[in-house]
């Protein structure tokens, strides 16, 4: 009897059909803005799914079936009026999730239900012991969505909905979220701000998006002090700074918290080639961070680890960063070579600078003040 692969995988072509309309970056086309596409287009995600298939990495993983989440599972996290608006506008011509830069088209409500359902299926499969870890390649992303509004290209909190559904089913109690997207994970922080059983750790570019969000001083609500940990890194940080931040902040925080499962909000917009960040992480850097997180999950939660896809806007480079992550999750000993690595890996940005070390040390000092 063939044993199932240790890594679960979620993807559906329908995720590529989430329509963000004709834009120029995040601005509507018109006037001097020649029609092009939105940053959050299908390209980077669909090309990542294609590379996973063509490289043979899909054969290393177990494809996980999933269903869209129910509306009541969404409203366990988001306000009923907000959810009703997205549903109504999706049934018509589409609209915007809330900040004027997060468009969605007809049918996106149901696709967003699928995205949350894909993350929930990955979490359930790990918790039920079907797989050791999982990667949910879902779209639209979710880590900026707050209880009463979407923003930052996100409609609903995929990770937040999955956590609350799993908790309601009695499968988990304590959860650690590690967010490696280049932008602050404000959505999860807001959703779980006053929840002592959810730890949120966000590594992000300092003061990028949301503007002036994700400061080290943001440490949790009255009922959950020290449940939030932020690591704002200087622009230009590369592999060394990110691996240092994982080792010296995320690892000891999660180790002390002792969660039932570790969930990673996985954005590839900290990569060397991303148009919306100014960081310098390579595919190899993402692989090494993943290795750190695999080891952390094995130490703290019996190896239970779920990655849920977030940002990343380079159609050329996201696929190789993503492939490095899923191959590492699947335990492949020799990773597929990064064709951009000869250039990106040679730059001197991967050495840890004094400013980067100071930023990590300052976040570690906040961690050291925690009572647990």
């Amino acid at each position: 009897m063939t044993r199932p692969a240790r890594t679960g995988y979620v993807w559906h072509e329908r995720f590529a059909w989430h329509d963000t309309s004709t834009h120029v970056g995040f601005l509507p086309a018109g006037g001097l803005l020649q029609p092009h596409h939105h940053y959050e287009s299908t390209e980077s995600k669909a090309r990542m799914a294609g590379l996973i298939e063509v490289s043979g990495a899909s054969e290393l993983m177990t494809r996980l079936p999933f269903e869209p989440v129910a509306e009541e599972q969404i409203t366990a996290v988001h306000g009923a009026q907000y959810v009703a608006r997205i549903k109504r506008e999706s049934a018509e011509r589409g609209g915007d999730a809330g900040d004027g830069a997060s468009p969605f088209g007809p049918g996106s409500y149901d696709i967003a239900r699928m995205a949350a359902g894909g993350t929930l299926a990955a979490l359930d499969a790990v918790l039920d012991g079907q797989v050791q870890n999982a990667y949910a390649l879902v779209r639209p992303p979710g880590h900026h969505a707050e209880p009463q509004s979407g923003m930052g290209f996100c409609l609903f909190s995929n990770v937040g909905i999955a956590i609350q559904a799993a908790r309601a089913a009695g499968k988990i109690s304590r959860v650690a979220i590690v967010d490696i997207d280049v932008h602050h994970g404000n959505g999860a922080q807001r959703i779980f701000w006053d929840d002592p059983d959810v730890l949120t750790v966000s590594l992000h570019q300092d003061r990028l998006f949301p503007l002036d969000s994700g400061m080290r001083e943001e440490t949790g609500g009255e009922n959950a002090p020290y449940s939030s940990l932020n690591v704002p890194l200087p622009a230009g940080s590369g592999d060394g700074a990110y691996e240092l931040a994982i080792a010296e902040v995320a690892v000891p925080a999660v180790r002390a918290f002792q969660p039932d499962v570790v969930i990673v909000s996985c954005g590839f917009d900290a990569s060397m080639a991303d148009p919306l960040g100014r960081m310098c992480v390579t595919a190899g850097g993402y692989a090494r961070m993943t290795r750190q997180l695999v080891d952390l999950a094995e130490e703290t939660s019996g190896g239970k680890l779920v990655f849920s896809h977030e940002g990343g806007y380079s159609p050329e480079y996201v696929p190789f960063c993503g492939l490095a992550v899923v191959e590492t999750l699947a335990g492949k000993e020799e990773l597929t070579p990064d064709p951009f690595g000869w250039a990106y890996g040679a730059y001197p940005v991967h050495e840890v600078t004094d400013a980067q070390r100071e930023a990590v040390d300052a976040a570690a000092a906040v961690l050291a003040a925690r009572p647990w």
Side-chain angles (χ1 to χ4, degrees):
M1 181 177 179
T2 302
R3 296 182 61 188
R6 78 172 195 171
T7 298
Y9 175 58
V10 171
W11 166 255
H12 194 288
E13 174 63 22
R14 188 73 172 169
F15 294 137
W17 293 19
H18 167 55
D19 184 9
T20 51
S21 189
T22 300
H23 277 69
V24 183
F26 53 78
L27 299 176
L32 296 178
L33 297 171
Q34 181 181 0
H36 192 44
H37 56 69
H38 198 280
Y39 281 125
E40 207 297 292
S41 70
T42 186
E43 285 190 327
S44 63
K45 290 77 177 176
R47 287 169 64 90
M48 176 175 162
L51 183 60
I52 287 172
E53 184 74 24
V54 170
S55 69
S58 60
E59 299 175 10
L60 304 175
M61 299 184 287
T62 297
R63 193 70 174 262
L64 301 175
F66 66 96
E67 298 290 337
V69 293
E71 186 168 326
E72 56 266 28
Q73 291 174 309
I74 303 175
T75 54
V77 172
H78 296 284
Q81 289 185 337
Y82 169 64
V83 175
R85 178 178 73 80
I86 299 297
K87 183 178 181 180
R88 180 181 67 254
E89 294 179 0
S90 174
E92 298 168 354
R93 300 182 62 182
D96 187 273
D99 62 355
S102 304
F104 61 89
S108 284
Y109 169 75
D110 288 327
I111 300 175
R113 288 175 58 219
M114 289 178 63
T119 299
L120 175 57
L123 178 57
D124 279 341
V126 167
L127 296 177
D128 294 343
Q130 299 175 31
V131 293
Q132 184 69 55
N133 56 52
Y135 195 99
L137 178 49
V138 296
R139 180 174 178 261
H143 80 136
H144 291 308
E146 297 191 345
Q148 304 300 331
S149 178
M151 63 186 299
F153 317 155
C154 303
L155 275 66
F156 302 136
S157 174
N158 301 321
V159 166
I161 292 167
I163 289 172
Q164 295 296 56
R167 294 167 91 185
K171 294 185 176 183
I172 47 172
S173 175
R174 292 169 71 80
V175 182
I177 303 170
V178 179
D179 191 320
I180 59 173
D181 192 279
V182 80
H183 307 106
H184 175 229
N186 62 290
Q189 178 175 288
R190 179 65 61 86
I191 290 164
F192 298 110
W193 181 252
D194 221 28
D195 189 332
D197 289 324
V198 179
L199 171 68
T200 61
V201 182
S202 178
L203 283 62
H204 49 268
Q205 184 178 322
D206 190 15
R207 292 179 171 84
L208 180 59
F209 183 87
L211 185 63
D212 291 336
S213 176
M215 302 296 109
R216 286 188 296 271
E217 295 76 18
E218 300 166 21
T219 58
E222 181 179 350
N223 296 318
Y226 302 104
S227 64
S228 176
L229 182 61
N230 288 298
V231 191
L233 293 168
S237 296
D239 293 351
Y242 269 83
E243 292 166 46
L244 180 70
I246 294 286
E248 298 199 3
V249 183
V251 167
V254 175
R255 180 184 291 139
F257 190 72
Q258 287 294 302
D260 302 318
V261 63
V262 178
I263 300 179
V264 180
S265 288
C266 184
F268 295 113
D269 37 14
S271 85
M272 183 77 76
D274 201 86
L276 286 183
R278 293 298 177 265
M279 297 307 212
C280 300
V281 181
T282 66
Y286 277 107
R288 289 187 292 275
M289 281 195 287
T290 301
R291 182 69 258 172
Q292 289 174 293
L293 293 165
V294 168
D295 292 342
L296 175 62
E298 289 176 351
E299 178 184 350
T300 60
S301 58
K304 297 181 179 65
L305 178 65
V306 176
F307 277 60
S308 184
H309 194 92
E310 297 289 355
Y313 309 100
S314 168
E316 299 81 14
Y317 201 42
V318 163
F320 293 98
C321 295
L323 181 63
V325 168
V326 299
E327 287 185 339
T328 302
L329 286 174
K332 187 177 180 184
E333 293 185 4
E334 186 173 342
L335 303 186
T336 299
D338 172 12
F340 295 91
W342 65 273
Y344 293 164
Y347 294 144
V349 293
H350 304 299
E351 298 176 6
V352 179
T353 67
D354 290 344
Q356 293 163 4
R357 163 61 74 174
E358 289 171 4
V360 172
D361 286 348
V366 175
L367 172 64
R370 297 179 181 221
W372 40 263

